[in-house]
Amino acid sequence: MPQDIRITRDTPIGFELTGVKKKAAIQLMGSRLWGRFNPNHWDPVYAAETGLDAPIQTGEMSSAYLAEMCVNYFGPSVFTGARMQCKYVASTYANEVITTYGVVREKTPKGDGFRFRVEIWAQNEAEEKKTTGFIEADVDV
């Protein structure tokens, strides 16, 4: 992401983040890293037998999308004292396209800079939220 889009000390409350767009690819959902041990994450027949419309991706995948967006906007400060919390509110099904978003809700002076609190979420093409949460990160502290 270009440096001029990063959150800076001058970023106002209400600033909107548009993040990454990812397709819930069943090939990734069935990988050993994400969900291979639970067939609900990669087997359409098994998922249907358990009452699901399609295999679902793990919540960690949506969290990873949100984390990628936050790194794009906050840079290295995400790795030094930031706090991110997510809640999985709906299943993400295979082949859904998920886009991440955020809105700066608080900007608190801290040291020489600010601590930002950003409401974050991931939603599908129908604008159904799948994961919600927040991140708190320091800028110029």
Side-chain angles (χ1 to χ4, degrees), residues 4-117:
D4 61 342
I5 296 180
R6 289 237 171 116
I7 291 177
T8 69
R9 62 184 312 106
D10 298 323
T11 301
I13 293 174
F15 177 79
E16 297 180 4
L17 291 67
T18 300
V20 299
K21 184 180 279 193
K22 305 280 186 175
K23 182 177 182 180
I26 200 162
Q27 294 86 349
L28 291 175
M29 293 163 51
S31 76
R32 285 183 290 156
L33 294 175
W34 292 113
R36 186 66 185 168
F37 300 106
N38 182 344
N40 272 327
H41 297 303
W42 53 269
D43 184 337
V45 173
Y46 184 86
E49 289 172 352
T50 62
L52 296 170
D53 294 337
I56 56 174
Q57 75 177 14
T58 64
E60 290 90 348
M61 292 180 82
S62 291
S63 293
Y65 306 159
L66 289 164
E68 181 179 343
M69 174 185 70
C70 292
V71 168
N72 289 342
Y73 278 90
F74 283 107
S77 66
V78 168
F79 303 105
T80 55
R83 179 170 79 114
M84 184 172 139
Q85 181 175 322
C86 293
K87 181 176 182 179
Y88 312 114
V89 296
S91 296
T92 298
Y93 293 101
N95 297 316
E96 283 190 294
V97 175
I98 301 299
T99 304
T100 61
Y101 299 92
V103 176
V104 174
R105 296 294 184 202
E106 296 176 25
K107 179 180 176 181
T108 307
K110 182 178 178 185
D112 291 332
F114 294 91
R115 178 111 175 141
F116 284 83
R117 183 179 175 97

